[in-house]
Amino acid sequence: MDRYARSVAERSRRIPEATVARLPVYLRALVEESDAKATTISSERLAELAGVNAAKVRKDLSYLGSYGTRGVGYDVEYLMFQMSRELGLTHDWPVIIVGAGNLGHALANYGGFRDRGFPVAALLDADPSKVGGRIQGIDVRAVDDLDDLVAELGSVIGVIATPAVAAQEVADRMASAGITSILNFAPAVVTVPDGVSLRKVDLAVELQILSFYQQQRDGGPDDEAGNPDAPATPTDPAAPAVG
Amino acid sequence: MDRYARSVAERSRRIPEATVARLPVYLRALVEESDAKATTISSERLAELAGVNAAKVRKDLSYLGSYGTRGVGYDVEYLMFQMSRELGLTHDWPVIIVGAGNLGHALANYGGFRDRGFPVAALLDADPSKVGGRIQGIDVRAVDDLDDLVAELGSVIGVIATPAVAAQEVADRMASAGITSILNFAPAVVTVPDGVSLRKVDLAVELQILSFYQQQRDGGPDDEAGNPDAPATPTDPAAPAVG
DNA sequence: GGTTGTGAACAAATTCACAGCG
DNA sequence: CGCTGTGAATTTGTTCACAACC
């Protein structure tokens, strides 16, 4: 198969959502392995570093193309490059955070965003008393500046770090300002127009999920007298909730 | 056997992982609806509030038991109670956070944990210069105090908010101290012994996933024959809906 | 020999559609 | 009639197992 045909075939491949969610983890593992001066890596080793099994790694990578060499493994640098390209990480994405409370503050300070190509370009708040302050070299601006800032900074990714009640309105304003990817930290369900991607991180929900499994282990919901059979761990090695 | 039939049947019902992850969202919706003085709620309405479809709500709730009334809907208070019980939220779970940096700090301050039954009972750090400080009324303690604190506080849930390099060691120490549920915020893969639940929240990974879909919308990875350059400014309008 | 890439088998999750019951 | 509860159908994701290839 010639080069042109191959690239067309790759483009039309639809990558499953579950795979997309794992690519960043593989990428991180590859960076580590590259720092450790490895030049090639097997699916087995990559699986170990990423905390999944080797079959899954191979299947996932196969959606990107046939970048491995049988009998050898994958070239670390080449795979890193292909993966970065696929994830759109060949350039920075300036993000705009709305909500300069506890969490917004912490996120703005969090170096992990900048380090991975997501510099915090602006921090907005609705509270006039917060506007004008400076956090980690970033001016706190008014939410009403959103349209201007999106245009000025060319941001397409927004982060919602407001209280729950404000989340939907902020999402609406982001969408109408031209933001097309939103990460929501507010403990509220928000809806976005077609063409806008949304992901959510709900800190309390994560603890509540842990609480469920914790309690299963402790003997299940107790509405009767003591239960003698202590159910074993519901441990499926592949289940996301359990190690 | 009859005397326990109902509770055994319920207990042995294996609730799918995907369902468990949605229960807290339903619960939050129910609390809202209860605050709004509603006494019953349909699967349709609950679905709307939770951002899913009605069939999924009914299927999910059916794993808890037959708590609805045909032609009417679900009793809000009763369903709230059953769900809280199932999730193990009938009592508080004191959590121990390790890592008093940016994120640990923010989490300790974050009221959302306490409000939902997860009071931050201790904040630990390896850095002696941080130990002895006070955050939101919580003393910062040394990581070496972990065993003592777990015993003293009766905590079974731990939160890792350290840099990536420290994450695995902290997880190990938590597990050996008796912590059986861990929420990991460090951008690193950690493994835990059987019988310990683990969930992870990786902030940068979330943005990277958004970046993938963003870029798909912008026209996919650009690699036409010998041009490895990235698209400069991602301001392409055409948007095949992703979500 | 060693390791990838992938159809085929299997498992989990979602959605459909309607019987069953208030 | 209205809405739940659930089998059946469908879709999505995971794992197996082995041919293909270096």
Side-chain angles (χ1 to χ4, degrees):
Chain A
M1 179 194 285
D2 65 87
R3 212 176 345 173
Y4 181 75
R6 205 180 69 132
S7 101
V8 168
E10 275 159 32
R11 180 124 347 145
S12 64
R13 220 185 295 266
R14 186 195 125 278
I15 304 184
E17 240 178 87
T19 295
V20 172
R22 283 187 293 265
L23 295 181
V25 181
Y26 297 146
L27 181 56
R28 199 173 59 203
L30 287 171
V31 170
E32 281 170 24
E33 206 64 355
S34 169
D35 287 348
K37 307 283 183 259
T39 60
T40 63
I41 189 170
S42 65
S43 59
E44 189 92 40
R45 172 75 178 137
L46 185 47
E48 188 192 328
L49 293 173
V52 300
N53 66 47
K56 202 180 270 181
V57 167
R58 291 200 299 277
K59 186 65 114 180
D60 284 343
L61 296 187
S62 78
Y63 292 115
L64 303 182
S66 287
Y67 295 143
T69 306
R70 289 164 207 248
V72 178
Y74 302 86
D75 182 274
V76 175
E77 298 299 320
Y78 187 61
L79 190 53
M80 269 176 61
F81 168 72
Q82 291 297 345
M83 207 172 282
S84 300
R85 193 175 59 93
E86 200 73 39
L87 284 168
L89 301 176
T90 51
H91 62 87
D92 279 4
W93 297 95
V95 312
I96 294 181
I97 298 177
V98 176
N102 249 316
L103 192 59
H105 216 276
L107 294 175
N109 272 307
Y110 181 52
F113 283 170
R114 194 190 343 90
D115 295 350
R116 286 158 190 266
F118 301 92
V120 177
L123 183 55
L124 277 54
D125 204 286
D127 179 353
S129 76
K130 282 189 178 131
V131 173
R134 242 181 125 72
I135 291 168
Q136 191 80 356
I138 306 153
D139 291 318
V140 179
R141 304 274 297 262
V143 192
D144 304 279
D145 293 353
L146 187 57
D147 289 80
D148 291 347
L149 284 165
V150 169
E152 177 191 325
L153 302 166
S155 285
V156 291
I157 300 181
V159 173
I160 300 177
T162 65
V165 286
Q168 183 62 60
E169 200 206 317
V170 169
D172 294 344
R173 294 178 79 153
M174 282 182 170
S176 82
I179 293 283
T180 45
S181 293
I182 298 178
L183 179 54
N184 177 33
F185 284 95
V189 171
V190 316
T191 60
V192 293
D194 274 10
V196 175
S197 301
L198 174 74
R199 292 190 65 86
K200 57 186 157 57
V201 173
D202 190 318
L203 307 175
V205 163
E206 295 300 320
L207 290 179
Q208 290 173 322
I209 295 169
L210 285 173
S211 164
F212 173 87
Y213 291 107
Q214 179 67 44
Q215 190 212 214
Q216 294 279 303
R217 250 178 279 126
D218 290 347
D222 244 0
D223 58 343
E224 315 249 349
N227 164 24
D229 325 292
T233 11
T235 307
D236 167 3
V242 158
Chain B
M1 154 170 184
D2 280 343
R3 147 175 68 138
Y4 293 118
R6 203 182 79 117
S7 94
V8 167
E10 276 162 32
R11 190 143 319 162
S12 66
R13 217 185 299 262
R14 183 31 197 12
I15 304 185
E17 163 80 20
T19 294
V20 172
R22 283 187 295 266
L23 294 182
V25 180
Y26 297 146
L27 180 56
R28 200 173 58 202
L30 287 171
V31 171
E32 282 170 24
E33 205 65 353
S34 169
D35 288 348
K37 306 283 183 258
T39 60
T40 64
I41 189 170
S42 65
S43 59
E44 189 91 40
R45 172 75 178 139
L46 184 48
E48 187 193 328
L49 292 172
V52 301
N53 66 47
K56 201 180 272 180
V57 167
R58 291 200 299 277
K59 188 64 116 181
D60 285 343
L61 296 188
S62 78
Y63 292 114
L64 303 182
S66 287
Y67 295 144
T69 306
R70 290 165 207 248
V72 178
Y74 303 86
D75 181 274
V76 175
E77 298 300 319
Y78 186 63
L79 190 53
M80 269 176 62
F81 168 72
Q82 290 298 344
M83 207 172 280
S84 300
R85 192 175 61 95
E86 200 73 37
L87 284 167
L89 301 176
T90 51
H91 61 85
D92 278 5
W93 298 95
V95 313
I96 294 181
I97 298 177
V98 176
N102 248 317
L103 193 59
H105 217 276
L107 294 175
N109 272 306
Y110 180 52
F113 283 171
R114 194 189 343 89
D115 295 350
R116 286 159 189 266
F118 301 93
V120 177
L123 182 56
L124 278 55
D125 202 288
D127 179 353
S129 76
K130 282 190 179 130
V131 173
R134 242 180 127 72
I135 291 169
Q136 191 79 356
I138 306 152
D139 290 320
V140 179
R141 305 275 296 264
V143 190
D144 304 279
D145 293 354
L146 188 57
D147 289 81
D148 291 347
L149 283 166
V150 168
E152 177 191 323
L153 301 166
S155 284
V156 291
I157 301 182
V159 173
I160 301 177
T162 64
V165 286
Q168 183 61 59
E169 200 205 318
V170 169
D172 294 345
R173 295 178 79 154
M174 281 182 171
S176 82
I179 292 282
T180 44
S181 293
I182 297 177
L183 179 54
N184 177 35
F185 283 94
V189 171
V190 317
T191 60
V192 292
D194 274 10
V196 176
S197 300
L198 174 73
R199 291 190 64 88
K200 57 185 156 55
V201 173
D202 190 318
L203 306 175
V205 164
E206 295 299 322
L207 289 180
Q208 290 173 322
I209 295 168
L210 285 172
S211 165
F212 173 87
Y213 290 107
Q214 180 66 46
Q215 190 212 214
Q216 295 277 305
R217 254 177 276 127
D218 290 346
D222 243 3
D223 74 332
E224 283 308 312
N227 170 22
D229 280 333
T233 320
T235 32
D236 212 320
V242 177

